Amino acid sequence: MSYDLYIGDYAYSSWSLRGWLLVHRFGLNARNIMIPFSKQDVAEQMADIGTARTVPTLVCNDGAVVSESAAIAEELAARHPDAGIWPSDPKARATARTLLTEMASGFTALRGDCPMSLRVCYSDAAPSGAVLADLARLEEIWSNARAQRTSDGPWLLGEYSAADAFFAPVAGRIAGYSLPVGTDAATYVAAHLADPAFRRWRAMGLVHGPDLPWYRKDYPQSDWPGPTPRAAKAVEAETSENDKCPYSGKTPTHFMEMDGRTFGFCNPFCRDKTVADPEAWPAFMALV
Protein backbone atom coordinates (compact mmCIF):
# COMPACT_ATOMS: atom_id res chain seq x y z
CA MET A 1 0.00 0.00 0.00
CA SER A 2 1.37 3.42 -0.94
CA TYR A 3 0.25 7.00 -0.36
CA ASP A 4 0.61 10.55 -1.61
CA LEU A 5 1.84 12.78 1.22
CA TYR A 6 1.55 16.53 0.77
CA ILE A 7 4.08 18.41 2.88
CA GLY A 8 5.35 21.95 3.36
CA ASP A 9 8.93 23.21 3.44
CA TYR A 10 11.31 20.86 5.21
CA ALA A 11 13.06 23.60 7.18
CA TYR A 12 9.92 25.25 8.52
CA SER A 13 6.85 22.98 8.46
CA SER A 14 6.69 21.32 11.86
CA TRP A 15 3.37 19.60 11.17
CA SER A 16 4.70 18.25 7.88
CA LEU A 17 7.65 16.76 9.75
CA ARG A 18 5.19 14.92 11.98
CA GLY A 19 3.24 13.55 9.03
CA TRP A 20 6.42 12.56 7.19
CA LEU A 21 7.74 10.71 10.25
CA LEU A 22 4.43 8.88 10.67
CA VAL A 23 4.98 7.43 7.20
CA HIS A 24 8.73 7.09 6.76
CA ARG A 25 9.80 6.33 10.33
CA PHE A 26 7.53 3.27 10.35
CA GLY A 27 8.63 1.81 7.02
CA LEU A 28 5.57 2.79 4.98
CA ASN A 29 5.64 4.00 1.36
CA ALA A 30 4.59 7.43 0.19
CA ARG A 31 5.25 9.81 -2.67
CA ASN A 32 6.15 13.18 -1.16
CA ILE A 33 4.54 16.19 -2.86
CA MET A 34 5.90 19.59 -1.84
CA ILE A 35 3.61 22.56 -1.22
CA PRO A 36 6.11 25.45 -1.00
CA PHE A 37 5.45 28.10 1.62
CA SER A 38 7.20 30.68 -0.57
CA LYS A 39 4.54 30.49 -3.28
CA GLN A 40 0.83 31.21 -3.23
CA ASP A 41 -1.39 30.40 -0.29
CA VAL A 42 -1.19 26.75 0.82
CA ALA A 43 -4.97 26.30 0.58
CA GLU A 44 -4.94 27.61 -3.00
CA GLN A 45 -2.17 25.19 -3.96
CA MET A 46 -4.26 22.32 -2.57
CA ALA A 47 -7.60 23.38 -4.01
CA ASP A 48 -7.95 20.23 -6.12
CA ILE A 49 -7.30 17.78 -3.25
CA GLY A 50 -10.75 17.15 -1.88
CA THR A 51 -11.40 19.30 1.16
CA ALA A 52 -7.71 19.38 2.17
CA ARG A 53 -6.36 22.84 2.84
CA THR A 54 -3.37 22.19 5.10
CA VAL A 55 -0.13 20.23 5.21
CA PRO A 56 0.45 17.48 5.88
CA THR A 57 -2.31 15.77 3.96
CA LEU A 58 -2.30 12.05 3.24
CA VAL A 59 -4.12 10.73 0.19
CA CYS A 60 -4.69 6.97 0.37
CA ASN A 61 -4.80 4.68 -2.64
CA ASP A 62 -8.55 4.22 -2.14
CA GLY A 63 -9.07 7.98 -2.45
CA ALA A 64 -9.43 8.77 1.25
CA VAL A 65 -8.03 12.20 2.16
CA VAL A 66 -6.68 12.68 5.69
CA SER A 67 -5.50 16.19 6.47
CA GLU A 68 -4.84 16.40 10.21
CA SER A 69 -1.67 14.94 11.74
CA ALA A 70 -3.49 13.22 14.60
CA ALA A 71 -5.97 11.73 12.15
CA ILE A 72 -3.08 10.60 9.92
CA ALA A 73 -1.57 8.78 12.92
CA GLU A 74 -4.84 6.99 13.67
CA GLU A 75 -5.56 6.12 10.04
CA LEU A 76 -2.09 4.74 9.37
CA ALA A 77 -2.19 2.74 12.60
CA ALA A 78 -5.54 1.26 11.58
CA ARG A 79 -4.31 0.37 8.08
CA HIS A 80 -0.93 -0.92 9.31
CA PRO A 81 -1.56 -2.44 12.76
CA ASP A 82 1.84 -4.16 12.82
CA ALA A 83 3.89 -1.04 12.00
CA GLY A 84 4.27 -0.02 15.65
CA ILE A 85 2.78 3.45 15.30
CA TRP A 86 1.12 3.03 18.71
CA PRO A 87 2.68 1.09 21.60
CA SER A 88 1.32 -2.44 21.95
CA ASP A 89 0.93 -2.15 25.75
CA PRO A 90 -2.55 -0.71 26.50
CA LYS A 91 -1.36 1.64 29.25
CA ALA A 92 1.53 2.93 27.16
CA ARG A 93 -0.80 3.33 24.17
CA ALA A 94 -3.23 5.41 26.24
CA THR A 95 -0.35 7.59 27.43
CA ALA A 96 0.92 8.01 23.87
CA ARG A 97 -2.50 9.15 22.66
CA THR A 98 -2.75 11.61 25.54
CA LEU A 99 0.70 13.02 24.79
CA LEU A 100 -0.11 13.40 21.11
CA THR A 101 -3.36 15.19 21.82
CA GLU A 102 -1.75 17.63 24.25
CA MET A 103 0.99 18.40 21.74
CA ALA A 104 -1.54 19.01 18.99
CA SER A 105 -3.56 21.49 21.04
CA GLY A 106 -1.10 22.98 23.53
CA PHE A 107 2.28 24.66 23.96
CA THR A 108 1.10 27.74 22.11
CA ALA A 109 3.78 30.04 23.54
CA LEU A 110 6.60 27.73 22.47
CA ARG A 111 5.08 27.27 19.03
CA GLY A 112 4.39 30.98 18.57
CA ASP A 113 7.64 32.41 19.92
CA CYS A 114 9.94 29.69 18.52
CA PRO A 115 8.68 28.56 15.12
CA MET A 116 10.60 25.59 13.74
CA SER A 117 13.53 26.76 11.62
CA LEU A 118 15.97 23.90 11.12
CA ARG A 119 18.55 25.86 9.13
CA VAL A 120 19.79 27.91 12.08
CA CYS A 121 20.59 27.62 15.76
CA TYR A 122 20.15 30.62 18.04
CA SER A 123 22.45 30.73 21.04
CA ASP A 124 20.13 32.96 23.09
CA ALA A 125 16.44 33.30 22.30
CA ALA A 126 15.57 35.07 25.60
CA PRO A 127 12.54 32.79 26.24
CA SER A 128 9.51 34.41 27.82
CA GLY A 129 7.89 33.24 31.02
CA ALA A 130 5.16 31.57 28.97
CA VAL A 131 7.74 29.64 26.93
CA LEU A 132 9.53 28.56 30.14
CA ALA A 133 6.18 27.34 31.49
CA ASP A 134 5.66 25.29 28.32
CA LEU A 135 9.13 23.79 28.73
CA ALA A 136 8.38 22.88 32.34
CA ARG A 137 5.17 21.16 31.25
CA LEU A 138 7.07 19.25 28.55
CA GLU A 139 9.59 18.03 31.10
CA GLU A 140 6.76 16.91 33.39
CA ILE A 141 4.89 14.86 30.80
CA TRP A 142 8.06 13.44 29.25
CA SER A 143 9.28 12.31 32.66
CA ASN A 144 5.92 10.71 33.42
CA ALA A 145 5.92 8.87 30.11
CA ARG A 146 9.50 7.63 30.46
CA ALA A 147 8.65 6.24 33.91
CA GLN A 148 6.13 3.96 32.15
CA ARG A 149 8.55 2.58 29.55
CA THR A 150 8.25 -1.13 28.93
CA SER A 151 11.75 -1.38 27.39
CA ASP A 152 15.03 0.49 27.49
CA GLY A 153 15.90 3.11 24.93
CA PRO A 154 15.74 6.85 24.42
CA TRP A 155 12.08 7.14 23.43
CA LEU A 156 9.17 8.17 25.61
CA LEU A 157 7.46 4.80 25.95
CA GLY A 158 10.19 2.37 24.97
CA GLU A 159 10.00 1.84 21.22
CA TYR A 160 9.56 4.86 18.93
CA SER A 161 5.86 5.68 18.56
CA ALA A 162 3.56 8.34 17.18
CA ALA A 163 4.08 10.31 20.38
CA ASP A 164 7.79 10.66 19.58
CA ALA A 165 6.97 11.71 16.01
CA PHE A 166 4.79 14.49 17.39
CA PHE A 167 7.54 15.75 19.70
CA ALA A 168 10.28 15.69 17.04
CA PRO A 169 9.64 19.32 16.00
CA VAL A 170 9.69 20.29 19.70
CA ALA A 171 13.15 18.75 19.94
CA GLY A 172 14.12 20.82 16.91
CA ARG A 173 12.84 23.96 18.61
CA ILE A 174 14.63 23.26 21.91
CA ALA A 175 17.86 22.61 20.01
CA GLY A 176 17.43 25.42 17.49
CA TYR A 177 16.67 28.08 20.09
CA SER A 178 19.04 26.71 22.79
CA LEU A 179 16.14 26.53 25.22
CA PRO A 180 16.89 25.52 28.83
CA VAL A 181 15.80 22.02 29.84
CA GLY A 182 17.05 19.50 32.39
CA THR A 183 19.36 16.58 31.75
CA ASP A 184 16.67 13.98 31.02
CA ALA A 185 14.85 16.24 28.58
CA ALA A 186 18.14 17.19 26.91
CA THR A 187 18.92 13.49 26.46
CA TYR A 188 15.55 12.98 24.78
CA VAL A 189 16.16 15.97 22.50
CA ALA A 190 19.58 14.58 21.57
CA ALA A 191 17.96 11.26 20.61
CA HIS A 192 15.80 13.07 18.07
CA LEU A 193 18.72 15.05 16.66
CA ALA A 194 20.68 11.82 16.12
CA ASP A 195 17.73 9.83 14.74
CA PRO A 196 18.44 8.99 11.06
CA ALA A 197 14.92 9.94 9.98
CA PHE A 198 15.09 13.35 11.67
CA ARG A 199 18.59 13.90 10.24
CA ARG A 200 17.31 13.07 6.77
CA TRP A 201 14.44 15.54 7.07
CA ARG A 202 16.69 18.31 8.38
CA ALA A 203 19.31 17.64 5.70
CA MET A 204 16.63 18.01 3.03
CA GLY A 205 15.67 21.29 4.68
CA LEU A 206 19.21 22.57 4.28
CA VAL A 207 19.17 22.15 0.50
CA HIS A 208 15.54 22.57 -0.53
CA GLY A 209 13.94 25.95 -1.13
CA PRO A 210 14.80 29.52 -0.14
CA ASP A 211 15.26 31.02 3.30
CA LEU A 212 11.90 32.45 4.34
CA PRO A 213 12.42 35.83 6.01
CA TRP A 214 9.23 35.70 8.09
CA TYR A 215 10.77 32.86 10.12
CA ARG A 216 14.00 34.76 10.81
CA LYS A 217 14.72 35.92 14.38
CA ASP A 218 17.12 38.63 15.48
CA TYR A 219 19.04 36.46 17.94
CA PRO A 220 22.75 35.58 18.06
CA GLN A 221 23.50 32.34 16.24
CA SER A 222 25.67 29.31 16.97
CA ASP A 223 26.37 25.91 15.44
CA TRP A 224 23.62 23.29 15.25
CA PRO A 225 24.05 20.99 18.28
CA GLY A 226 23.21 17.72 16.55
CA PRO A 227 25.22 15.62 14.09
CA THR A 228 26.38 17.56 11.04
CA PRO A 229 25.46 16.26 7.56
CA ARG A 230 28.36 15.79 5.18
CA ALA A 231 28.84 18.73 2.86
CA ALA A 232 27.31 18.13 -0.57
CA LYS A 233 25.64 20.51 -2.96
CA ALA A 234 23.92 20.61 -6.32
CA VAL A 235 26.14 22.08 -9.05
CA GLU A 236 26.08 22.93 -12.73
CA ALA A 237 28.36 20.53 -14.62
CA GLU A 238 28.76 18.75 -17.94
CA THR A 239 30.55 15.59 -16.86
CA SER A 240 30.74 13.39 -13.76
CA GLU A 241 32.69 10.42 -12.45
CA ASN A 242 29.76 8.11 -13.17
CA ASP A 243 28.26 7.77 -16.64
CA LYS A 244 24.91 6.44 -15.37
CA CYS A 245 22.54 7.52 -12.62
CA PRO A 246 23.05 5.09 -9.71
CA TYR A 247 19.28 4.92 -9.13
CA SER A 248 17.85 4.61 -12.65
CA GLY A 249 20.80 3.67 -14.88
CA LYS A 250 19.98 6.61 -17.17
CA THR A 251 22.40 9.20 -18.53
CA PRO A 252 23.11 11.94 -15.94
CA THR A 253 21.52 15.33 -16.52
CA HIS A 254 21.86 16.82 -13.00
CA PHE A 255 24.93 16.92 -10.82
CA MET A 256 26.20 17.25 -7.26
CA GLU A 257 29.59 17.87 -5.71
CA MET A 258 30.86 16.09 -2.59
CA ASP A 259 34.40 16.06 -1.20
CA GLY A 260 35.69 17.68 -4.39
CA ARG A 261 34.13 14.98 -6.59
CA THR A 262 31.25 15.40 -9.07
CA PHE A 263 28.50 12.81 -9.47
CA GLY A 264 25.61 12.72 -11.92
CA PHE A 265 21.94 11.78 -11.74
CA CYS A 266 19.05 11.49 -14.17
CA ASN A 267 16.82 14.07 -12.48
CA PRO A 268 16.77 16.59 -9.60
CA PHE A 269 14.97 14.18 -7.26
CA CYS A 270 17.71 11.54 -7.45
CA ARG A 271 20.37 14.19 -7.01
CA ASP A 272 18.64 15.99 -4.16
CA LYS A 273 17.86 12.69 -2.44
CA THR A 274 21.57 11.96 -2.22
CA VAL A 275 22.52 15.53 -1.35
CA ALA A 276 19.96 15.56 1.45
CA ASP A 277 20.33 12.08 2.87
CA PRO A 278 23.55 11.38 4.82
CA GLU A 279 22.46 7.79 5.36
CA ALA A 280 22.39 7.20 1.59
CA TRP A 281 26.02 8.09 0.90
CA PRO A 282 27.73 4.79 1.79
CA ALA A 283 25.39 2.85 -0.51
CA PHE A 284 25.62 5.56 -3.14
CA MET A 285 29.43 5.48 -3.17
CA ALA A 286 29.33 1.72 -3.63
CA LEU A 287 27.09 2.19 -6.67
CA VAL A 288 29.38 4.69 -8.41
Side-chain angles (χ1 to χ4, degrees):
M1 186 180 299
S2 62
Y3 303 92
D4 283 344
L5 180 65
Y6 291 81
I7 56 175
D9 289 81
Y10 296 107
Y12 305 108
S13 183
S14 59
W15 289 106
S16 294
L17 169 56
R18 294 180 174 99
W20 185 88
L21 287 170
L22 287 169
V23 172
H24 295 279
R25 189 57 170 74
F26 296 98
L28 309 180
N29 296 314
R31 179 175 65 129
N32 299 322
I33 302 170
M34 176 63 64
I35 304 295
F37 286 178
S38 59
K39 295 186 178 181
Q40 67 199 66
D41 182 77
V42 168
E44 292 180 14
Q45 294 182 72
M46 301 181 70
D48 295 332
I49 310 167
T51 58
R53 293 294 182 268
T54 60
V55 288
T57 285
L58 186 77
V59 179
C60 306
N61 59 0
D62 59 6
V65 177
V66 190
S67 55
E68 292 291 338
S69 298
I72 290 173
E74 293 289 2
E75 188 62 27
L76 288 175
R79 290 174 183 249
H80 304 275
D82 296 327
I85 293 172
W86 293 119
S88 58
D89 176 75
K91 182 179 179 182
R93 185 167 60 249
T95 300
R97 282 194 165 102
T98 300
L99 289 167
L100 186 151
T101 301
E102 182 167 354
M103 179 63 253
S105 61
F107 307 102
T108 55
L110 176 63
R111 289 156 58 181
D113 290 5
C114 304
M116 192 177 79
S117 184
L118 296 178
R119 289 180 175 173
V120 297
C121 178
Y122 299 110
S123 58
D124 182 5
S128 67
V131 169
L132 294 175
D134 278 352
L135 293 172
R137 176 59 181 169
L138 283 167
E139 294 201 62
E140 179 184 3
I141 60 176
W142 287 354
S143 177
N144 177 70
R146 287 166 65 84
Q148 300 179 43
R149 284 182 297 176
T150 56
S151 62
D152 292 334
W155 306 115
L156 290 176
L157 292 156
E159 298 297 321
Y160 192 99
S161 74
D164 298 297
F166 263 61
F167 285 113
V170 174
R173 286 178 164 98
I174 291 173
Y177 289 86
S178 300
L179 298 174
V181 293
T183 301
D184 287 346
T187 298
Y188 179 59
V189 169
H192 280 287
L193 302 190
D195 181 55
F198 182 93
R199 288 184 64 197
R200 185 173 298 120
W201 175 273
R202 179 174 178 265
M204 289 188 288
L206 296 177
V207 300
H208 187 282
D211 288 334
L212 300 181
W214 48 91
Y215 286 96
R216 188 177 303 128
K217 298 290 186 178
D218 188 23
Y219 300 136
Q221 296 186 17
S222 59
D223 293 335
W224 180 257
T228 302
R230 291 177 64 187
K233 61 181 179 180
V235 295
E236 297 291 334
E238 296 181 358
T239 61
S240 60
E241 291 189 20
N242 55 309
D243 59 3
K244 294 182 179 179
C245 173
Y247 299 104
S248 69
K250 297 179 180 179
T251 301
T253 55
H254 294 76
F255 303 89
M256 81 164 197
E257 182 181 288
M258 180 178 65
D259 296 335
R261 303 168 65 185
T262 301
F263 302 100
F265 305 86
C266 67
N267 58 46
F269 174 80
C270 291
R271 177 201 62 197
D272 293 346
K273 178 180 186 296
T274 304
V275 169
D277 184 357
E279 309 301 323
W281 280 321
F284 165 73
M285 295 301 292
L287 287 168
V288 300

